Amino acid sequence: MGVPVDDLNIRAKDLDQGDNGKFELSLAGPDKDAFSVSPQIAYSESPVQIMVKNSQAVDYETKTSMVIQIIAKDPSNTADCCSTATVTIQIKDINDNSPTFPKEVYILKVDEHSPNGTTVDTITATDPDTMDVGNIRYRLLPDSILKYFNVNAMTGRIYVTNSKLIDREVTSLYSPTLQARDQANNTGNAVLEITLTDINDQTPQFNRESYIDYVKEGSNLRIQVQATDRDEPPNSEIVYGIVNSNYSGKFTIDPTTGWLENNGPLDREAMQAKDNGQVKLNVTATDKGSPPLTSWVPVIINVEDINDNTPKFRKTSYKFLVEEGKKAEFVGSVQAVDLDQTIDHNRISFSIVSGSFGQFIIQTFRDEPDGYIGNITVDPDIELDYESSFKTFSLDVEAMDLGSMKDTVNVEVIVVDVNDERPQFEPVPPLHIKENTTITEAVGRFEGVDLDMNHVLVYQLVSTKCRCNGSLTLGPCPEDWFILEPTGEIMLNEEFVIDFEKCDQVDLGAQVVDELTQKGENNSATPGHIVINIEDINDNAPAFETTDSLYVVVSETASVGSVIASVTATDRDSGKNRQMTFSIINIQFRDDVNNKTTELGSRVFRVVTTQEDDKYVGNIQNIEVLNINVKGKYLVTVGAANTEEPKLFSETKLKIFTVDKSLKVELLFSKTVAEVQSAQSQIVLLLTAATQTKVEVVRIRADSGSTEIRAAGDTVMEVYFVNANGTALDSDTAETILSNSMERYKLQIEFGLKDIGGTVVTEKQVNPVMFVLLGLVAGLIIVLAVMTTSLVCTRRSYRTKLKASKAMNSAAMVVTGGDQKSGPVVPGTNKYTMEGANPVLNLNIDTATDLGFDEEGSNADRVSLNSLDYNIDMVMSDKDTMPMMMIQEEDEEEGGADNPYVEPLGEALAQRGKKRVNNSPSLTFANPSLSTTDL
């Protein structure tokens, strides 16, 4: 129920009595839809209450007063039927609005370390509620921001609370929320972005506490000194300099980059002995702020002595002998000396710079008192092999001090023969074998060699690895496709079939054994490998990927060439063997209305083949405009065939459901075409969210304004609401869903939605002229109905009297029950003159009830007519509190073969006899002043 309007004292009165005093109450006027009237039907006199029906329409901020008209209508008085009272309702304001700020985000700036109380800005909110004018309170959120900034709760002035804490170098941006609260605790928020601007409060800081560098005498120094300033430019721009000292004149520094260099040669011997080769400088960094800030750092430069003496060997050449097959065998020694006086300059190290080929090593030892010795030995991990191509080695041995000054001597090493060689593998190029091959001869072989003169080589398979399932690396093989014979021949394993789609490369690893080896290992040091590449043949048909085979197309929006559906297929073969093309095999259309299927062959659609990575995509396009008047689905059979022989083939079936124009919904907007087009994406999003369907817009056009609800300047958007299962919403369903959705109000208010598929969304304006015409037509219909009823009743009364006359003779001859007495009757009544004949005894005859049938007849004609017209039985149920009278009326026109009674009275008596036999409880009513004939 609605809320009653206060202070309303209205009474409606009709001076007529009874049913004539009945009147109806209704509302009119511009604001009638916001209220209802109670009661709607009253008698004689009644107080009138106005109730709020639509609370959303009663808004103080929209209207401060509303006007309605109360109409009291007398339905029985067409001449003077109505009375009207105009009511002006003053709307009382309540606090139903929240404060709002002019902007959602405010960009503010303030200097870092500004004094406490410095104003950042003053921001205020507004509230349309009258009680909130001047009563809005402000605060900053979260509470953690209050140690930096605060706001005056009354004025909205934002100010600094702690100048020390607002440091740009710590935090440059604060983003508090400014909250406004009204008297009803309604709140509104705005985001503040407070940026701290820089002041020169940071001293330049060097990256190190000190700089230490080393430079050899006679060399140039180049070292970069770097400092940073956390302020912003220009406060952070730095200028470098050197503080005057004993050695500052020998160096320069770039004031911008901080590169420090010597401006002349550095001579260790020219420096003071107490400095021990060290140069100490103080470098400064000064920023460009106002006032400028400066810091300094020590720079220590160590000038090193240089090495000017070269090591020398004691001999010009050396020659040694060594047996093969002995690890770490001593070969011989070389000696060298350096004339420099310090150990850092005269220390020598020996190395073999060439000719060793990794067979020998040399170790350095001190040779007192002034030289060094180098012992040459065979590498501990190497055994010299006489059978190799190196039977004599010419070594170049180098002696070098720490200053990289060096001398070189030649050492000749001769290898003495011992028999101990191992077999080896010769490289074999990759083999190529087609898949499904069944040849019985060898497909390839391993090749092994042994440098010894007498040898017998036997081959053994040690590993089999495969590259399978598109992998880039080798792994275990699923099947043993190849067999390695002892002779090194590679044979096919007849138990398996080579399949390129399983693995496309096989790597066989083998070792070779020399059965005649007497010393050392008799097998190959490293296994031999043969790579077998499996070549693809076209043995796999294209395979369609399992996807949703159901598609939906809106026939009206599908222009020629539109992509209606797509299929994807792959082929396990590779290269040209996997290439394929799609084709339309067959098209059927199943008409859902006529339940009829039509063969279309390859008409209507075509398929365009494209390749995406390793997949082939077939886009189904319409080659003609689809019929927008039919409803059903296309059954499309798509085939995929290889382009290379043999052209293997596969197919799939698609269902393409059509959405015909009967499901097109027209949405009427009170906006212009340009406005609706610019908001199309937003409208589609709202429609999609409300209906949970795919919304397809056919066109947006200007409306003709041909109906009352359509005005010139309105815009019609024609859309389809398509479900994923191939169905679509009709206009009634779409209107029902949208009317019950939350998005409806946004569509109406923001975008002006007025009508959905012919159903008016906005309020329809009442046409007074039409209302009057409808009232006149209704009154005329009522008058005609009353006149027709009167004529029918008059005609029926005369027919009843005729039947009563015929029944008088029968009534006189009626034989009553055993307890009843016969006697004269009172014509036209339900009374007998004899005692015991009727419960109503000895009553005076009312002459007003005499119908005049006895004027020319005898007394015998005055027979009771009780059963001529109506037999009124009241059947009482246990649950009913009021009796219901069941009136059975004989049909005036009946009397044919189905009715065995010629006279109405005979049928009435027979019906009474049946009821008595059935013992049905009944009550019979008699009115002494009203006869059945009069009824």
Side-chain angles (χ1 to χ4, degrees):
M1 295 181 62
V3 178
V5 178
D6 296 336
D7 302 327
L8 184 65
N9 185 15
I10 300 178
R11 300 184 65 85
K13 181 185 296 185
D14 191 322
L15 299 179
D16 294 325
Q17 299 296 321
D19 290 342
N20 293 329
K22 176 182 177 181
F23 56 91
E24 299 173 351
L25 296 173
S26 61
L27 296 180
D31 300 315
K32 67 181 181 63
D33 290 336
F35 302 93
S36 64
V37 64
S38 175
Q40 295 182 351
I41 297 176
Y43 291 84
S44 298
E45 182 177 1
S46 173
V48 178
Q49 279 288 338
I50 303 300
M51 313 294 289
V52 176
K53 181 173 69 174
N54 184 358
S55 61
Q56 298 295 327
V58 182
D59 188 357
Y60 179 85
E61 283 71 35
T62 303
K63 286 185 177 181
T64 58
S65 64
M66 306 180 78
V67 178
I68 59 173
Q69 294 175 342
I70 305 175
I71 299 175
K73 178 182 179 182
D74 187 349
S76 61
N77 187 350
T78 59
D80 186 14
C81 67
C82 304
S83 176
T84 301
T86 300
V87 179
T88 301
I89 301 173
Q90 300 297 328
I91 308 301
K92 297 180 180 179
D93 189 20
I94 63 172
N95 198 339
D96 59 342
N97 290 281
S98 298
T100 57
F101 289 92
K103 295 189 293 185
E104 294 182 356
V105 179
Y106 288 85
I107 308 300
L108 309 177
K109 291 184 179 181
V110 64
D111 287 343
E112 61 174 330
H113 301 303
S114 293
N116 293 345
T118 300
T119 299
V120 180
D121 201 350
T122 299
I123 300 174
T124 58
T126 59
D127 192 317
D129 295 320
T130 56
M131 66 284 297
D132 290 332
V133 176
N135 293 320
I136 298 176
R137 299 296 178 263
Y138 303 90
R139 64 176 295 192
L140 286 180
L141 298 174
D143 292 338
S144 58
I145 197 65
L146 299 181
K147 60 184 178 180
Y148 307 103
F149 303 95
N150 206 343
V151 63
N152 187 300
M154 302 292 293
T155 64
R157 183 179 73 89
I158 302 161
Y159 58 89
V160 176
T161 58
N162 193 323
S163 63
K164 294 182 179 180
L165 294 182
I166 55 171
D167 188 351
R168 189 200 65 82
E169 287 72 34
V170 177
T171 303
S172 61
L173 177 65
Y174 296 88
S175 298
T177 298
L178 179 59
Q179 183 183 83
R181 184 181 299 271
D182 63 15
Q183 296 295 301
N185 287 329
N186 297 319
T187 62
N189 297 327
V191 176
L192 309 180
E193 293 186 359
I194 304 175
T195 302
L196 300 183
T197 55
D198 186 45
I199 64 174
N200 190 23
D201 61 338
Q202 299 293 319
T203 302
Q205 300 293 323
F206 286 93
N207 295 348
R208 304 181 193 173
E209 293 183 358
S210 63
Y211 290 81
I212 301 175
D213 201 3
Y214 297 85
V215 61
K216 294 179 181 180
E217 60 175 327
S219 301
N220 292 324
L221 171 72
R222 182 174 172 80
I223 181 174
Q224 187 178 26
V225 178
Q226 289 183 315
T228 57
D229 194 316
R230 296 173 61 193
D231 291 322
E232 290 184 342
N235 296 330
S236 62
E237 297 177 2
I238 297 174
V239 177
Y240 298 96
I242 303 174
V243 179
N244 291 331
S245 65
N246 293 335
Y247 301 107
S248 61
K250 296 184 178 294
F251 299 88
T252 59
I253 189 169
D254 189 302
T256 302
T257 62
W259 281 104
L260 180 66
E261 298 177 341
N262 58 305
N263 54 11
L266 299 177
D267 188 357
R268 170 70 181 267
E269 288 72 25
M271 296 177 63
Q272 299 179 11
K274 64 181 179 125
D275 293 333
N276 197 24
Q278 275 193 352
V279 175
K280 295 182 179 180
L281 302 175
N282 289 328
V283 176
T284 61
T286 304
D287 63 26
K288 294 184 179 180
S290 179
L293 301 177
T294 302
S295 60
W296 63 275
V297 67
V299 178
I300 300 173
I301 304 168
N302 293 287
V303 181
E304 298 178 342
D305 195 13
I306 63 173
N307 183 8
D308 55 353
N309 288 284
T310 302
K312 294 293 183 180
F313 283 97
R314 296 187 184 273
K315 295 182 180 180
T316 58
S317 64
Y318 297 86
K319 185 176 183 180
F320 306 107
L321 299 175
V322 63
E323 291 184 352
E324 70 167 330
K326 294 182 179 181
K327 296 180 179 180
E329 180 72 6
F330 177 76
V331 177
S333 299
V334 294
Q335 299 82 30
V337 65
D338 191 310
L339 299 179
D340 289 325
Q341 299 301 309
T342 61
I343 192 171
D344 291 338
H345 293 158
N346 64 14
R347 179 182 297 174
I348 297 174
S349 61
F350 295 97
S351 62
I352 302 174
V353 295
S354 64
S356 172
F357 303 103
Q359 307 295 312
F360 305 96
I361 62 174
I362 189 170
Q363 294 177 301
T364 303
F365 299 94
R366 179 70 176 175
D367 185 19
E368 296 297 342
D370 57 356
Y372 288 83
I373 186 171
N375 292 333
I376 301 173
T377 60
V378 178
D379 191 308
D381 296 328
I382 297 296
E383 291 184 359
L384 296 177
D385 188 2
Y386 179 80
E387 286 74 21
S388 68
S389 59
F390 298 101
K391 296 178 175 59
T392 301
F393 294 87
S394 179
L395 308 180
D396 290 329
V397 179
E398 182 181 82
M400 184 173 62
D401 62 16
L402 297 180
S404 298
M405 301 184 70
K406 56 192 175 182
D407 188 20
T408 303
V409 69
N410 181 262
V411 178
E412 183 180 4
V413 180
I414 299 172
V415 180
V416 179
D417 184 34
V418 175
N419 190 5
D420 57 356
E421 291 301 319
R422 301 177 67 175
Q424 298 177 355
F425 280 100
E426 291 286 338
V428 178
L431 304 177
H432 297 273
I433 299 176
K434 293 184 180 295
E435 64 174 326
N436 302 334
T437 299
T438 58
I439 59 176
T440 57
E441 62 270 14
V443 297
R445 64 177 296 119
F446 282 94
E447 298 290 343
V449 296
D450 194 321
L451 296 179
D452 294 326
M453 298 302 296
N454 295 323
H455 60 268
V456 175
L457 302 182
V458 177
Y459 298 88
Q460 301 172 350
L461 185 64
V462 295
S463 68
T464 304
K465 295 182 179 181
C466 296
R467 187 174 67 188
C468 303
N469 300 323
S471 174
L472 299 178
T473 58
L474 295 173
C477 296
E479 298 171 346
D480 295 329
W481 290 342
F482 300 98
I483 299 174
L484 178 61
E485 299 292 342
T487 59
E489 292 183 335
I490 302 172
M491 309 294 292
L492 293 179
N493 189 344
E494 297 179 356
E495 296 182 3
F496 303 102
V497 177
I498 300 175
D499 189 353
F500 174 86
E501 284 69 40
K502 291 183 179 179
C503 303
D504 60 0
Q505 189 178 86
V506 180
D507 183 291
L508 298 180
Q511 72 170 358
V512 59
V513 176
D514 184 358
E515 295 183 341
L516 301 181
T517 300
Q518 297 178 347
K519 180 183 178 181
E521 300 291 338
N522 66 345
N523 63 322
S524 57
T526 58
H529 290 273
I530 290 183
V531 175
I532 304 175
N533 293 315
I534 310 300
E535 296 182 350
D536 183 41
I537 64 174
N538 190 14
D539 61 341
N540 289 280
F544 285 93
E545 290 190 352
T546 303
T547 57
D548 188 4
S549 61
L550 185 148
Y551 296 88
V552 182
V553 59
V554 178
S555 301
E556 189 171 357
T557 64
S559 59
V560 175
S562 300
V563 177
I564 307 301
S566 64
V567 294
T568 303
T570 58
D571 195 312
R572 296 180 60 204
D573 295 321
S574 63
K576 294 183 178 180
N577 294 327
R578 73 183 309 159
Q579 295 178 358
M580 68 183 75
T581 56
F582 296 98
S583 60
I584 300 294
I585 305 302
N586 185 39
I587 302 175
Q588 295 179 332
F589 181 76
R590 185 167 297 169
D591 191 333
D592 290 346
V593 178
N594 301 320
N595 197 20
K596 177 182 177 183
T597 300
T598 304
E599 294 288 343
L600 301 178
S602 59
R603 295 183 291 115
V604 182
F605 299 111
R606 69 178 179 185
V607 59
V608 178
T609 304
T610 59
Q611 184 176 359
E612 297 180 1
D613 298 329
D614 294 336
K615 299 179 181 180
Y616 285 82
V617 177
N619 291 320
I620 312 301
Q621 301 176 348
N622 57 317
I623 58 178
E624 61 184 44
V625 177
L626 301 182
N627 190 345
I628 65 174
N629 299 310
V630 296
K631 180 179 182 181
K633 57 179 174 288
Y634 293 95
L635 304 179
V636 182
T637 303
V638 181
N642 291 127
T643 58
E644 296 295 319
E645 296 293 339
K647 296 183 177 180
L648 303 179
F649 176 81
S650 60
E651 65 181 36
T652 187
K653 296 182 181 295
L654 303 179
K655 294 180 181 179
I656 303 176
F657 288 83
T658 63
V659 178
D660 64 306
K661 71 175 185 179
S662 67
L663 298 173
K664 181 167 65 177
V665 179
E666 292 188 356
L667 305 179
L668 181 65
F669 293 88
S670 61
K671 304 287 186 178
T672 64
V673 172
E675 290 174 330
V676 175
Q677 288 175 341
S678 64
Q680 178 178 344
S681 59
Q682 296 172 274
I683 295 173
V684 170
L685 286 176
L686 290 173
L687 294 175
T688 302
T691 62
Q692 299 298 309
T693 61
K694 178 184 178 183
V695 179
E696 293 201 17
V697 179
V698 179
R699 65 179 60 86
I700 299 174
R701 58 178 173 81
D703 187 60
S704 60
S706 58
T707 63
E708 293 182 6
I709 64 170
R710 299 191 173 188
D714 287 353
T715 299
V716 174
M717 176 185 286
E718 300 178 2
V719 299
Y720 288 89
F721 297 94
V722 183
N723 293 311
N725 62 357
T727 62
L729 305 182
D730 57 18
S731 60
D732 292 338
T733 305
E735 192 278 334
T736 301
I737 294 175
L738 289 175
S739 297
N740 296 328
S741 68
M742 296 299 296
E743 290 77 10
R744 168 195 177 188
Y745 301 102
K746 193 168 185 179
L747 288 168
Q748 289 180 272
I749 295 172
E750 294 189 13
F751 304 107
L753 178 62
K754 294 177 61 178
D755 182 70
I756 302 173
T759 301
V760 180
V761 177
T762 55
E763 177 185 354
K764 182 176 179 180
Q765 300 297 326
V766 176
N767 188 336
V769 177
M770 183 62 67
F771 183 80
V772 172
L773 292 176
L774 290 175
L776 293 176
V777 172
L780 180 61
I781 292 174
I782 292 174
V783 171
L784 291 176
V786 172
M787 295 178 64
T788 303
T789 303
S790 300
L791 291 175
V792 171
C793 292
T794 302
R795 181 172 176 269
R796 183 179 183 86
S797 176
Y798 280 104
R799 287 188 179 184
T800 302
K801 290 181 179 181
L802 291 176
K803 287 185 178 182
S805 178
K806 293 178 181 180
M808 289 178 64
N809 293 329
S810 297
M813 301 301 294
V814 171
V815 179
T816 64
D819 58 346
Q820 294 181 342
K821 298 179 181 181
S822 62
V825 298
V826 180
T829 72
N830 192 29
K831 297 189 287 276
Y832 290 85
T833 61
M834 297 186 65
E835 185 177 354
N838 196 280
V840 183
L841 302 176
N842 302 324
L843 299 178
N844 294 328
I845 299 175
D846 187 358
T847 58
T849 63
D850 190 355
L851 300 178
F853 290 113
D854 57 343
E855 293 179 358
E856 295 180 359
S858 64
N859 292 334
D861 294 334
R862 297 174 179 269
V863 182
S864 174
L865 303 178
N866 181 50
S867 301
L868 296 181
D869 299 316
Y870 298 93
N871 181 21
I872 303 174
D873 293 327
M874 174 176 289
V875 180
M876 303 292 294
S877 65
D878 295 337
K879 297 181 181 179
D880 294 337
T881 58
M882 294 292 292
M884 179 179 292
M885 301 181 66
M886 304 298 295
I887 302 175
Q888 297 179 347
E889 179 180 349
E890 69 173 313
D891 191 349
E892 299 175 358
E893 303 299 331
E894 292 182 356
D898 295 336
N899 188 0
Y901 304 98
V902 176
E903 292 297 330
L905 180 60
E907 182 177 359
L909 295 175
Q911 294 293 334
R912 174 174 294 185
K914 290 181 181 180
K915 292 183 179 180
R916 288 177 178 175
V917 172
N918 294 333
N919 296 322
S920 301
S922 65
L923 296 176
T924 302
F925 294 86
N927 190 334
S929 63
L930 184 63
S931 70
T932 57
T933 303
D934 290 333
L935 289 175

